[in-house]
Amino acid sequence: MSSTLEKRFSLALYNTARTWRQAVDRRLKDLGVGQASWLAIAVVATAGEPLSQTELAHRLGVEGPTMVATIDRLVKAGFVLRIPSPTDRRVKFIELTAAGNRLYDRVKSEADVFRGELLANIDAGKLRVATELLETLQATIELAK
């Protein structure tokens, strides 16, 4: 594979991910939360298990202090609660409130519609191949950590 193609791929991957997040953020601006907040809410909502602040930061790829500030805003807005760990007083789990769950439902609904609009004219076969490629790349990166 040529290094030019690899560079194009890297740049396209990075720019597409950034542009995608920005487009979704613009679409969700009327909900009153920014990208960091709706991403955090979505990760908590779909985690399947209680997440500590540290685990949430890890899943979002942000530093601890950044996560603390985001959680502080979400707590103040009434979207999440910090729940103390029963086994380690240093650990706080993040849980959605009823308002946080309602916001997640709105975010998910809007994001689902928007994703459908963005992908409507993409060939299903190409989308499947691209998705499999990205999933394989992610797994490779995870193994290389």
Side-chain angles (χ1 to χ4, degrees):
M1 191 175 329
S2 77
S3 67
T4 302
L5 180 58
E6 291 170 352
K7 287 177 188 175
R8 279 183 57 208
F9 174 80
S10 297
L11 189 60
L13 177 64
Y14 174 80
N15 287 334
T16 301
R18 179 181 47 80
T19 304
W20 183 283
R21 284 190 308 273
Q22 289 171 340
V24 173
D25 198 38
R26 283 190 305 274
R27 182 73 172 247
L28 299 177
K29 72 179 178 180
D30 293 338
L31 298 180
V33 292
Q35 183 181 103
S37 294
W38 61 256
L39 279 172
I41 287 170
V43 169
V44 171
T46 59
E49 62 184 0
L51 296 179
S52 69
Q53 290 182 183
T54 303
E55 179 60 24
L56 181 56
H58 172 73
R59 290 190 186 190
L60 290 170
V62 300
E63 297 295 322
T66 301
M67 191 77 268
V68 168
T70 299
I71 293 169
D72 285 346
R73 283 191 303 277
L74 293 172
V75 167
K76 187 175 180 179
F79 296 130
V80 301
L81 298 172
R82 285 184 172 102
I83 308 296
S85 167
T87 58
D88 187 341
R89 63 186 179 97
R90 299 168 296 175
V91 175
K92 302 285 189 266
F93 292 102
I94 307 306
E95 182 178 289
L96 292 183
T97 63
N101 277 303
R102 284 190 301 273
L103 178 61
Y104 171 69
D105 289 342
R106 289 179 64 200
V107 165
K108 183 180 179 316
S109 177
E110 280 290 322
D112 288 350
V113 168
F114 192 47
R115 181 176 42 254
E117 291 169 5
L118 291 173
L119 298 175
N121 295 319
I122 304 294
D123 176 76
K126 289 181 179 180
L127 182 58
R128 186 175 306 101
V129 169
T131 301
E132 290 169 358
L133 170 68
L134 292 172
E135 290 169 347
T136 300
L137 182 58
Q138 182 180 0
T140 301
I141 292 167
E142 290 293 326
L143 288 174
K145 283 184 180 178

